[in-house]
Amino acid sequence: MAKNTICLWYNKDAEDAARFYAATFPDSAVGAVIRAPGDYPSGQQGDVLVVEFMVAGIPCIGLNGGAAFQHNEAFSFQIATDDQEETDRYWNAIVGNGGRESDCGWCKDKWGVSWQITPRVLTEALAAGGGEAKRAFEAMMTMRKIDVAAIEAARRG
């Protein structure tokens, strides 16, 4: 296990989530699946308790802790994409697998984890500052999934 690892709380589906992420994003994998050595408040001995996994190179663990806590937008994974095809692939995988759309390139997977599917062209436009950033920002504010061509057009004015 890495020295610093993101821990994500799941009701009972940490292994399913980890396997979905590993199948969806490059540089992702499922590692150890640790089962509970005894009964606990939200599970029984032998249930999956912790799953070690990697999401796009980020070490994580999923903890099946029960329904006490829910995910919210205070934490999200931001996935940088190179083009519309890659943006569509990740967005459609998340939303099409029981997730839901949000605004400005955000969506949630079926476990409630927030994702920002962010084309690099948007990040570059915002970093450019000035009128280019303002136009790209205004275009983004009207979108759910980011439209690369519309961001590129906004950059040009």
Side-chain angles (χ1 to χ4, degrees):
M1 180 184 295
K3 187 168 187 82
N4 185 11
T5 303
I6 294 171
C7 180
L8 296 165
W9 184 287
Y10 293 88
N11 185 354
K12 62 179 188 282
D13 298 330
E15 186 175 7
D16 291 341
R19 293 197 185 287
F20 171 75
Y21 305 148
T24 302
F25 299 102
D27 196 19
S28 300
V30 177
V33 176
I34 301 164
R35 298 191 175 277
D39 292 350
Y40 60 109
S42 61
Q44 299 176 346
Q45 180 178 350
D47 288 351
V48 172
L49 181 61
V50 173
V51 179
E52 296 178 7
F53 60 100
M54 183 90 62
V55 176
I58 303 294
C60 301
I61 60 171
L63 171 65
N64 283 330
F69 301 109
Q70 302 299 312
H71 296 284
N72 65 48
E73 290 79 3
F75 173 87
S76 63
F77 285 103
Q78 184 177 45
I79 303 293
T81 59
D82 293 323
D83 53 31
Q84 191 67 55
E85 180 183 350
E86 187 178 23
T87 301
D88 291 348
R89 183 171 62 249
Y90 297 144
W91 183 273
N92 294 339
I94 292 167
V95 172
N97 188 45
R100 63 185 181 276
E101 296 183 349
S102 191
D103 296 324
C104 304
W106 289 62
C107 56
K108 282 189 176 190
D109 64 30
K110 73 179 183 180
W111 300 280
V113 176
S114 293
W115 297 82
Q116 298 176 61
I117 309 302
T118 309
R120 293 180 198 281
V121 67
L122 173 60
T123 306
E124 292 164 1
L126 296 174
E132 180 179 338
K134 186 175 187 326
R135 290 186 304 272
F137 181 77
E138 289 172 349
M140 176 202 68
M141 292 300 291
T142 68
M143 299 175 187
R144 287 193 171 257
K145 176 175 63 177
I146 302 299
D147 180 332
V148 171
I151 296 297
E152 289 171 338
R155 287 183 81 174
R156 292 189 297 272

